[in-house]
Amino acid sequence: MNEHYMRILIGVLSLIFGVQNLFGLKGFASSEHHAVSGSLFGSLAGFTSFSIHAGGPPLTMYLMPKQLSPMLFAGTAGIFFAVVNFVKLPPYFMLGQFSSDNLIYSLALVPLAPLGVKLGHYLVKRSTPTFYYQVVSACLVVIGAKLLWDGTSALY
């Protein structure tokens, strides 16, 4: 599948879903867990995370209607992407993605990771569910617009 079309597709879906949630419009997504939709969105999140580094929107589209507490939402996303990123290591290695420059940049950023986790934990813990989901929806709109821009500008 062409990566530019994938960006456009995920971008459009993110924009629609994010705007829908910002304006409180009811969508078709279920608040209950269903194995089929969970597997579909989980697979889509994993695939887009691997191919275009945009796994967040599909996972968010699945999790948001569940109305999890902000801490449970963030924890679920964190664990999901920890597993996805671990699974991506062998294919990325085989594709030659681990250059010395790449690894040096990663090592330089390692000390910032605990700070980011602490700050994220602090902010999520103090957020009301309404505010948290508004921020997540707004981020989804921004990410959707960026993906749509990147996908369409690469085609022309």
Side-chain angles (χ1 to χ4, degrees):
M1 183 172 205
N2 183 306
E3 68 182 82
H4 308 305
Y5 290 121
M6 240 191 312
R7 282 189 181 92
I8 292 169
L9 175 63
I10 298 299
V12 168
L13 291 174
S14 299
L15 278 169
I16 291 169
F17 192 84
V19 168
Q20 170 188 312
N21 281 293
L22 279 174
F23 291 104
L25 304 173
K26 280 286 186 191
F28 60 88
S30 173
S31 62
E32 295 178 21
H33 170 69
H34 296 286
V36 172
S37 61
S39 298
L40 175 72
F41 278 95
S43 297
L44 184 59
F47 180 71
T48 56
S49 177
F50 176 80
S51 56
I52 61 172
H53 304 289
L59 183 68
T60 301
M61 287 183 247
Y62 177 75
L63 289 179
M64 277 189 71
K66 310 302 178 245
Q67 291 296 304
L68 304 173
S69 70
M71 193 63 76
L72 187 56
F73 184 101
T76 301
I79 291 170
F80 178 85
F81 285 111
V83 170
V84 166
N85 289 334
F86 182 75
V87 169
K88 290 188 320 189
L89 288 175
Y92 274 18
F93 181 77
M94 290 187 292
L95 290 169
Q97 296 291 315
F98 294 113
S99 67
S100 58
D101 285 345
N102 214 351
L103 293 173
I104 289 170
Y105 292 137
S106 297
L107 284 173
L109 294 172
V110 165
L112 295 176
L115 296 173
V117 170
K118 286 278 192 196
L119 178 62
H121 182 261
Y122 174 82
L123 293 172
V124 170
K125 197 172 177 182
R126 280 149 186 79
S127 297
T128 64
T130 302
F131 177 74
Y132 181 80
Y133 280 104
Q134 289 294 311
V135 169
V136 170
S137 296
C139 289
L140 201 54
V141 169
V142 170
I143 291 167
K146 173 73 166 122
L147 287 168
L148 187 56
W149 175 264
D150 289 350
T152 54
S153 62
L155 291 176
Y156 302 107

